[in-house]
């Protein structure tokens, strides 16, 4: 695709995705995240032509002007949008699909342990909230969303939302996912949680198998989730009414 067609496509996609964008001229002049992607296309060409030092120098010039540090070896798909730009870091072996949106402060980085492919693969239409860290040779599946401030250390299936440090799935295929089993919590505190829950179970057994508090917690969480869904439907209904 010719260079100017690609630029037009990028600008149109920002107009679609950012409600703050008012005109194509504004996008051309005021979106350093786009400039960073355009710089990257040139530095990536230099990288592939084995002009490695020139490619690295150009990517550092881009970083100076945009605050976005993209290694020239990274593979970026079409209509990639980095909103607010500053502080984004994308590593050498990262692969980003089409129509991906990321916000300021996102890192697609390595864990510091591996060689070879050591950065994430982000599939089509993924959304990554500000200051999220996606680390290691993991895959974020299509249409998935990563919450602001999350640290993602393992694969995320398609159509999922993950949040937290380390990140856990909270939505999958539109359905809320509730963690009620401490074995599903994968962080440095899991062992303590599992031991605590085993101890509670043991005490409950001693008291005659009373499991009410845990059941009550699960029911409350499900009730809150249903309430939130109902509110969402109401808000949609009201906005439809405003549109008439
Ligand atoms: C992850 C995200 C996409 C989820 O949005 P959503 O589908 O509307 O999810 P909800 O608001 O229903 O949240 C579901 C649960 O996850 C929690 N949660 C949501 N985002 C979270 C986050 N970033 N970190 C930790 N927990 C989060 C909520 O508190 C809620 O928990 P609860 O059910 O125990 O109360 C959104 O919260 C987010 O982080 N968006 C990024 C926005 C951003 O980067 N903006 C930058 C503007 S400059």
């Amino acid at each position: 695709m010719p260079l100017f067609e690609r630029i037009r496509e990028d600008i149109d996609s920002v107009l679609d995705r950012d409600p703050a964008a008012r005109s194509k001229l504004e996008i051309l002049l005021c979106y350093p995240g786009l400039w960073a992607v355009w710089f990257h296309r040139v530095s990536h060409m230099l990288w592939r032509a084995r002009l490695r030092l020139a490619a690295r120098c150009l990517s550092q010039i881009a970083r100076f002007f945009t605050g976005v540090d993209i290694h020239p070896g990274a593979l970026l798909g079409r209509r990639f949008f980095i909103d607010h730009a500053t502080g984004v870091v994308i590593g050498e072996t990262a692969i980003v699909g089409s129509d991906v949106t990321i916000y300021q402060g996102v890192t697609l980085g390595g864990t510091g342990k591996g060689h070879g492919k050591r950065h994430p693969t982000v599939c089509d239409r993924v959304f990554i909230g500000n200051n999220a860290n996606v680390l290691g040779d993991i895959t974020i599946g299509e249409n998935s969303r990563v919450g602001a401030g999350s640290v993602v250390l393992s694969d995320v299936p398609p159509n999922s939302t993950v949040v937290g440090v380390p990140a856990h799935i909270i939505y999958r295929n539109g359905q809320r996912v509730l963690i009620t089993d401490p074995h599903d919590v994968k962080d440095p505190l899991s062992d303590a949680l599992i031991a605590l829950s085993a101890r509670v179970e043991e005490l409950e057994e001693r008291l005659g198998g009373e499991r009410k508090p845990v059941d009550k917690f699960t029911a409350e969480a499900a009730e809150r989730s249903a309430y939130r869904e109902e509110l969402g439907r109401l808000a949609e209904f009201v906005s439809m009414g405003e549109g008439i």
Side-chain angles (χ1 to χ4, degrees), residues 22-67:
R22 281 177 179 75
S23 71
K24 292 186 181 186
L25 186 64
E26 180 189 335
I27 294 170
L28 188 67
L29 297 177
C30 307
Y31 280 70
L34 276 188
W35 309 340
V37 171
W38 296 335
F39 266 114
H40 174 78
R41 284 189 193 139
V42 181
S43 70
H44 186 64
M45 274 184 332
L46 294 172
W47 185 259
R48 290 177 63 142
R50 304 209 156 264
L51 297 167
R52 303 274 152 105
L53 185 60
R56 288 301 307 264
C57 290
L58 184 62
S59 80
Q60 287 311 299
I61 292 169
R63 177 174 167 240
F64 178 79
F65 284 110
T66 65

Side-chain angles (χ1 to χ4, degrees), residues 3-225:
L3 186 71
F4 286 105
E5 282 290 302
R6 290 286 293 270
I7 290 179
R8 185 176 309 166
E9 179 183 78
D10 291 333
I11 291 175
D12 287 343
S13 85
V14 173
L15 208 50
D16 276 349
R17 277 183 265 179
D18 185 4
R22 281 177 179 75
S23 71
K24 292 186 181 186
L25 186 64
E26 180 189 335
I27 294 170
L28 188 67
L29 297 177
C30 307
Y31 280 70
L34 276 188
W35 309 340
V37 171
W38 296 335
F39 266 114
H40 174 78
R41 284 189 193 139
V42 181
S43 70
H44 186 64
M45 274 184 332
L46 294 172
W47 185 259
R48 290 177 63 142
R50 304 209 156 264
L51 297 167
R52 303 274 152 105
L53 185 60
R56 288 301 307 264
C57 290
L58 184 62
S59 80
Q60 287 311 299
I61 292 169
R63 177 174 167 240
F64 178 79
F65 284 110
T66 65
V68 176
D69 187 351
I70 309 178
H71 193 285
L75 290 174
L76 305 185
R78 285 169 63 176
R79 299 174 295 275
F80 178 38
F81 178 32
I82 307 172
D83 203 358
H84 302 295
T86 307
V88 166
V89 176
I90 300 178
E92 178 186 356
T93 60
I95 300 175
V96 176
S98 298
D99 300 300
V100 169
T101 305
I102 71 176
Y103 278 89
Q104 71 275 13
V106 165
T107 298
L108 305 181
T111 54
K113 287 186 250 175
H115 295 276
K117 173 84 169 88
R118 60 196 183 282
H119 299 106
T121 297
V122 176
C123 296
D124 296 349
R125 296 174 297 282
V126 164
F127 167 98
I128 307 181
N130 62 285
N131 296 308
N133 292 295
V134 183
L135 304 178
D137 180 19
I138 58 174
T139 299
I140 312 294
E142 281 151 36
N143 305 312
S144 286
R145 298 183 302 164
V146 175
S150 305
V151 177
V152 189
L153 299 169
S154 51
D155 289 345
V156 174
N159 309 309
S160 308
T161 302
V162 294
V163 298
V165 181
H168 288 94
I169 298 179
I170 55 161
Y171 287 102
R172 190 157 184 192
N173 298 321
Q175 298 296 313
R176 184 67 203 260
V177 177
L178 291 172
I179 296 179
T180 51
D181 182 345
H183 289 91
D184 293 338
V185 180
K186 307 236 175 339
D187 74 12
L189 290 178
S190 339
D191 288 346
L193 277 175
I194 291 165
L196 190 64
S197 124
R199 181 81 179 126
V200 170
E201 259 174 43
E202 187 193 319
L203 290 172
E204 280 173 352
E205 260 165 39
R206 278 203 219 163
L207 288 170
E210 184 64 60
R211 292 190 59 87
K212 248 189 193 146
V214 177
D215 294 344
K216 192 171 158 254
F217 165 78
T218 314
E220 269 178 15
E223 208 174 284
R224 260 193 308 151
S225 166

